[in-house]
């Protein structure tokens, strides 16, 4: 990768060039020079893009691809290309394939399939065998194979003692547990947030209590065992407050929120469009505002697209029969950039690297070129033409977004939209 980026505004609070507009020379995948009006050289490909901004490469802590087993939803190859063109140099892949990634062989498979791609894969190993919640999976072996964390995607562990043992066990190798929070008994047969909208539509509701009660239990376990826990995709004001209080007590707990919970509310459900059927469910405006406040004040550590492709056979159904999930990589930046200051957006899209022990590089001379290229000022309406995933189940179709991603420079490669 031998490139010269002209007139690039650097957004990187860790870089001495933060907020400066400069040229960036990359030779053999390394940033060799940063400065104004750098000379064009024959061995360098010159890249000039409108209102070009450059930040450290973005990381998504929750991405699902179909492969292995559900390639009709998404393949790893196309998924990683989608991630690259959406600005993500690194993604943590959830154990949602068939078979579930619960052994070191499964982790090796995922890492191997990602070889040669610009976007790097960081597998999340299942916490329990088959993500069935009964027996602990091969956590240490998966860690040695490259797993960055352990959790059962969108499944809350009902066995409190198993979670306690897992929290104690992973401390021997500094493992990170992901504890999705939803009490299955309180959730029952609910499919949307329990409230005014669910009542009007006649849909079975899930009380916010289902999430909050489980978070309380999990935090009590963490306080007892020690170790570190990540609570993904919190969705209520009370959940944010519980994490805020736990951090104040000194517990090693972090949390994330999905882009769609920051951007959308349960009012979207009035058309019975299954693209808005997600888990946790979309909440009312008051909860959405509390989540935004949690992002701004730092209680919520990172933001995820919670990208979850679903084929048309599982989405174009009666609402209560459709599977949960929305794709989100393609729309993540544009949605966040309409809601939050640019510096906050970049911080929340890069903060997960430290938490998940993913290599990160400041934009500086002598460092590997691992960055995202974007224009933060372009307004557009998100449409089907913007979807790069094999599955098209986006909750952002028709939404007005702000900010265009050009691509990434990462892993010795440059990936740009045509």
């Amino acid at each position: 990768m031998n490139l010269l980026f002209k007139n690039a505004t650097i957004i990187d609070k860790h870089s001495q060039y933060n907020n400066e507009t400069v040229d960036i020379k990359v030779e053999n995948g390394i940033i060799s020079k940063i400065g104004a009006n750098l000379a064009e050289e024959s061995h360098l490909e010159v890249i000039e893009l409108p209102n070009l901004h450059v930040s450290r490469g973005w990381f998504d802590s929750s991405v699902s691809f179909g492969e292995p087993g559900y390639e009709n939803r998404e393949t790893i190859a196309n998924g990683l290309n989608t991630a690259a063109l959406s600005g993500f140099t690194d993604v943590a892949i959830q154990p949602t394939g068939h078979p579930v990634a619960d052994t070191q062989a499964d982790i090796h498979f995922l890492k191997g399939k990602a070889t040669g791609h610009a976007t790097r894969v960081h597998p999340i190993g299942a916490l329990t065998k088959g993500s069935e919640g009964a027996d602990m999976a091969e956590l240490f072996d998966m860690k040695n194979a490259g797993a960055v964390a352990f959790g059962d995607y969108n499944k809350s562990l009902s066995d409190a003692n198993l979670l306690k043992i897992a929290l104690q066990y992973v401390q021997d190798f500094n493992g990170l547990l992901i504890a999705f929070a939803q009490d299955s008994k309180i959730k029952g047969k609910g499919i949307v947030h329990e409230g005014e909208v669910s009542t009007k539509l006649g849909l079975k509701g899930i009380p916010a209590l289902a999430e909050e009660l489980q978070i309380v239990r999990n935090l009590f376990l963490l306080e007892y065992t020690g170790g570190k826990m990540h609570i993904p995709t919190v969705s209520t004001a009370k959940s944010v407050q519980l994490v805020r209080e736990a951090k104040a007590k000194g517990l090693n707990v972090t949390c994330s929120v999905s882009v769609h919970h920051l951007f959308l509310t349960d009012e979207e459900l009035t058309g019975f469009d299954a693209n808005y059927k997600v888990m946790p469910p979309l909440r009312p405006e008051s909860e959405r505002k509390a989540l935004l406040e949690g992002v701004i004040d730092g209680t919520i550590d990172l933001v995820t697209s919670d990208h979850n492709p679903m084929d048309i056979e599982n989405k174009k159904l009666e609402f209560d029969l459709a599977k949960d999930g929305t794709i989100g990589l393609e729309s993540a930046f544009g949605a966040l950039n309409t809601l939050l200051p640019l510096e906050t957006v970049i911080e929340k899209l890069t903060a997960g690297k430290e938490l998940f022990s993913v290599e990160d590089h400041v934009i500086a001379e002598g460092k590997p070129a691992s960055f995202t290229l974007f224009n933060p000022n372009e307004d557009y309406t998100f449409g089907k033409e913007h979807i790069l995933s094999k599955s098209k189940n986006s909750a952002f179709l028709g939404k007005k977004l702000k900010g265009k991603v050009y691509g990434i420079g990462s892993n010795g490669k440059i990936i740009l939209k045509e």
Side-chain angles (χ1 to χ4, degrees):
M1 181 165 61
N2 297 300
L3 307 165
L4 180 62
F5 297 93
K6 300 294 290 184
N7 299 315
T9 301
I10 294 176
I11 306 296
D12 181 359
K13 69 179 185 179
H14 301 291
S15 172
Q16 70 180 89
Y17 302 100
N18 188 34
N19 289 320
E20 292 185 19
T21 300
V22 293
D23 296 347
I24 305 173
K25 181 163 69 171
V26 178
E27 295 179 287
N28 298 317
I30 303 295
I31 299 173
S32 59
K33 185 69 176 175
I34 298 176
N37 302 313
L38 297 183
E40 298 182 13
E41 302 174 46
S42 60
H43 72 291
L44 298 175
E45 177 185 352
V46 178
I47 295 179
E48 294 186 84
L49 296 166
N51 194 31
L52 175 60
H53 285 59
V54 178
S55 75
R56 286 177 295 138
W58 302 342
F59 169 76
D60 196 329
S61 63
S62 180
V63 171
S64 296
F65 297 144
E67 193 174 2
Y70 303 111
E71 288 83 359
N72 56 321
R73 298 177 186 175
E74 187 59 284
T75 63
I76 291 175
N78 188 68
L80 291 178
N81 184 62
T82 298
L85 294 175
S86 302
F88 294 91
T89 60
D90 298 85
V91 294
I93 294 188
Q94 294 283 359
T96 52
H98 183 72
V100 168
D102 59 5
T103 70
Q104 61 178 338
D106 298 321
I107 302 301
H108 284 307
F109 171 82
L110 294 171
K111 298 279 285 187
K113 293 290 289 188
T115 301
H117 287 271
T119 296
R120 296 179 298 174
V121 157
H122 307 279
I124 296 172
L127 177 57
T128 61
K129 292 180 180 179
S131 287
E132 295 176 351
D135 300 295
M136 196 161 63
E138 301 173 4
L139 307 188
F140 182 64
D141 288 346
M142 287 192 287
K143 173 78 171 181
N144 289 338
V148 294
F150 310 99
D152 297 331
Y153 181 64
N154 278 4
K155 293 182 179 180
S156 196
L157 194 57
S158 60
D159 187 336
N161 188 56
L162 184 55
L163 181 58
K164 175 182 74 71
I165 292 169
L167 279 166
Q168 293 170 325
Y169 175 67
V170 298
Q171 291 179 56
D172 288 340
F173 49 89
N174 195 33
L176 173 66
L177 285 196
I178 299 175
F180 180 73
Q182 186 174 81
D183 186 293
S184 59
K185 295 295 184 182
I186 293 179
K187 172 184 179 291
K189 296 182 179 179
I191 54 174
V192 299
H193 173 75
E194 182 182 84
E196 184 177 333
V197 172
S198 67
T199 302
K200 286 180 179 179
L201 299 179
L203 296 172
K204 292 185 177 70
I206 305 172
L209 178 67
E211 175 175 307
E212 297 155 1
L213 188 62
Q214 200 76 349
I215 287 179
V216 170
R217 186 205 73 171
N218 292 347
L219 290 174
F220 267 114
L221 288 170
L222 179 63
E223 186 173 10
Y224 178 81
T225 62
K228 55 184 179 179
M229 175 187 292
H230 179 66
I231 303 173
T233 57
V234 296
S235 65
T236 78
K238 182 64 174 177
S239 295
V240 176
Q241 182 59 26
L242 288 167
V243 173
R244 186 179 290 122
E245 292 169 356
K247 288 184 172 185
K249 291 172 64 176
L251 297 187
N252 193 349
V253 59
T254 55
C255 68
S256 69
V257 64
S258 75
V259 178
H260 44 271
H261 283 98
L262 293 175
F263 196 88
L264 304 168
T265 71
D266 60 350
E267 292 291 339
E268 303 285 352
L269 301 174
T270 54
F272 293 95
D273 184 343
N275 283 334
Y276 298 112
K277 188 182 181 189
V278 293
M279 194 57 60
L282 296 177
R283 307 288 189 184
E285 177 68 5
S286 59
E287 308 282 11
R288 189 189 73 85
K289 287 182 177 179
L291 294 172
L292 277 173
E293 291 172 5
V295 170
I296 292 169
D297 70 19
T299 301
I300 296 176
D301 301 271
L302 56 145
V303 178
T304 173
S305 71
D306 200 23
H307 182 82
N308 191 7
M310 282 294 161
D311 50 77
I312 192 170
E313 288 83 359
N314 284 297
K315 270 295 185 183
K316 203 170 183 62
L317 299 168
E318 294 177 37
F319 192 88
D320 60 338
L321 298 178
K323 287 190 176 293
D324 302 318
T326 176
I327 57 173
L329 286 170
E330 300 97 313
S331 51
F333 176 69
L336 288 175
N337 197 42
T338 65
L339 300 170
L340 297 163
L342 179 58
E343 292 76 11
T344 303
V345 172
I346 302 305
E347 174 61 23
K348 297 303 178 182
L349 288 176
T350 55
K353 287 185 174 181
E354 181 178 0
L355 174 62
F356 283 78
S357 301
V358 171
E359 189 177 29
D360 194 16
H361 299 290
V362 67
I363 299 177
E365 293 177 0
K367 297 292 186 180
S370 180
F371 42 61
T372 299
L373 312 166
F374 60 96
N375 173 1
N377 296 332
E378 183 168 324
D379 296 316
Y380 66 103
T381 299
F382 190 79
K384 290 183 179 179
E385 68 274 17
H386 298 111
I387 294 177
L388 306 171
S389 303
K390 286 185 67 176
S391 293
K392 312 302 178 185
N393 57 309
S394 173
F396 291 90
L397 287 169
K399 304 303 180 186
K400 293 182 179 181
L401 307 182
K402 179 182 178 182
K404 176 181 180 180
V405 176
Y406 292 123
I408 62 171
S410 174
N411 215 16
K413 296 178 172 57
I414 181 76
I415 305 294
L416 294 174
K417 289 179 180 175
E418 296 180 359

